[in-house]
Amino acid sequence: MRLTLGDRILKVNHAGEHGAVHIYAGQRLLARFTAPAVCAGLADKQAHETRHRAIFAAELARRALPRCRSYWLCAMGGYFLGICTGLLGAQAIAATTVAVERVVLLHLQQQLQTLQGQDSAATESIEAILADEQAHHDDAAAQLKPGQFWPRLLDPLVAGATSAVIWLGMRL
């Protein structure tokens, strides 16, 4: 069975949302101790990511497609990233969200341009999550304090890892 570009994009996005659910799960686990003030916001973001994952899962099911091979890699990597940044506190949590969402938003915009006029169902699925992803980015960016250490360290690492996972997922 030959996958269309829209099929591959949906599979990767589904896996990415699974990873995002696990980032927030790991952060929530430790933020209770290191940054309790952000826990409610993390729960809201995790609920959004769970809904996003369901949107992509429904479209995969409609197309009778299996999950992406990177699905569990995204979960394990996301949970590890969430645990590590949750341990480091509110600024690390916010910096992680900004870095991930910046890459994801760019990726989603590129997908929409690529799919324009080719796959309306995939396009609709992507458009259904864009506002939430932008809100996650903007909310986290507003929480960052100027001159903090964690954003400077984590931004290139997290953005690079996120880009690498997307690249790998598109090729698995």
Side-chain angles (χ1 to χ4, degrees), residues 71-139:
Y71 187 78
W72 292 110
L73 172 67
C74 289
M76 291 184 295
Y79 196 69
F80 178 75
L81 178 61
I83 292 286
C84 292
T85 57
L87 181 65
L88 299 174
Q91 288 297 291
I93 290 168
T96 298
T97 300
V98 168
V100 168
E101 296 296 6
R102 187 181 67 252
V103 171
V104 167
L105 286 164
L106 177 63
H107 179 64
L108 294 174
Q109 292 296 340
Q110 289 170 340
Q111 288 177 345
L112 288 173
Q113 287 178 338
T114 301
L115 292 173
Q116 193 171 34
Q118 293 182 31
D119 190 329
S120 62
T123 299
E124 288 173 17
S125 297
I126 294 165
E127 289 173 341
I129 73 166
L130 269 175
D132 285 342
E133 301 296 3
Q134 186 68 56
H136 295 174
H137 174 275
D138 295 349
D139 177 60

Side-chain angles (χ1 to χ4, degrees), residues 148-161:
Q148 291 290 309
F149 172 74
W150 292 124
R152 289 189 313 248
L153 175 70
L154 290 172
D155 187 81
L157 295 173
V158 172

Side-chain angles (χ1 to χ4, degrees), residues 14 52-64 125:
H14 177 245
H52 300 169
R53 180 179 61 189
I55 289 168
F56 291 119
E59 187 57 25
L60 290 178
R62 189 183 73 74
R63 296 173 186 226
S125 297

Side-chain angles (χ1 to χ4, degrees), residues 23-32 42 82-83 85-86 93 96-97:
I23 291 171
Y24 289 120
Q27 288 175 336
R28 288 179 64 200
L29 180 69
L30 289 170
R32 294 178 300 169
L42 293 174
I83 292 286
T85 57
I93 290 168
T96 298
T97 300

